[in-house]
Amino acid sequence: MTHKIPVSTLVVIYTPALDVLLLERADRPGFWQSVTGSQDPGETLAETAAREVLEETGIRAADHRLEDWNLQNVFEIYPVWRDRYAPGVTHNTEHVFGLRVPGRVPVRLEPREHLAAEWLPWHEAAARVFSWSNRKAILTLPERHA
């Protein structure tokens, strides 16, 4: 088994009206989040972000504006997901990106990863996500795009 690298990206996909795309996890129904995923060996962070967006939503990041927000979060990996990492790995470093799309674009879900997708106004999206780092990133949208 290949262990996941404890470096990941979080990609907040949003519209000019600051509607945010959220995905409901298949392995944890009721847990909503932005696009997330671990870095693969040899990938840049931007490549990881673009790959995860395509895999999880069908949206090609290259067709839109993918921006590194220069925000990093270090957090403890939930015990339920620790077996995906090498023994002794307990923390992950997450790098935050934003992907601005022109509107509520259609989404194609990867059914093994997500059950549903929903576009919500930024303040509703921030209230729904289960992760503090995801909430923090969404809450920066209005100041980033004032």
Side-chain angles (χ1 to χ4, degrees):
M1 172 184 162
T2 304
H3 292 109
K4 291 176 81 165
I5 297 171
V7 174
S8 65
T9 58
L10 168 73
V11 185
V12 176
I13 301 174
Y14 66 97
T15 69
L18 303 187
D19 292 331
V20 175
L21 177 65
L22 293 185
L23 307 172
E24 183 181 19
R25 292 187 68 103
D27 62 355
R28 286 281 185 268
F31 279 50
W32 289 83
Q33 65 183 48
S34 293
V35 169
T36 64
S38 293
Q39 190 174 38
D40 283 347
E43 276 184 330
T44 66
L45 291 169
E47 288 168 343
T48 300
R51 175 181 52 77
E52 289 292 342
V53 166
L54 184 61
E55 288 175 5
E56 296 185 14
T57 68
I59 297 169
R60 282 180 29 88
D63 294 344
H64 307 286
R65 194 173 119 220
L66 180 66
E67 181 183 13
D68 184 343
W69 285 359
N70 296 309
L71 250 168
Q72 291 88 39
N73 300 299
V74 176
F75 58 84
E76 188 172 357
I77 299 163
Y78 286 103
V80 69
W81 290 311
R82 278 203 198 140
D83 64 345
R84 300 174 180 181
Y85 299 86
V89 173
T90 60
H91 287 76
N92 182 74
T93 302
E94 173 184 80
H95 299 265
V96 182
F97 285 76
L99 180 66
R100 184 175 167 162
V101 296
R104 293 180 172 207
V105 298
V107 173
R108 176 194 42 77
L109 294 178
E110 167 50 61
R112 288 171 296 165
E113 291 196 52
H114 298 103
L115 300 174
E118 192 168 347
W119 289 96
L120 293 170
W122 68 271
H123 56 285
E124 289 179 36
R128 180 167 305 176
V129 295
F130 75 93
S131 157
W132 65 267
S133 65
N134 201 165
R135 184 172 304 108
K136 180 173 113 175
I138 292 169
L139 289 173
T140 71
L141 268 176
E143 69 187 49
R144 286 181 180 282
H145 300 283

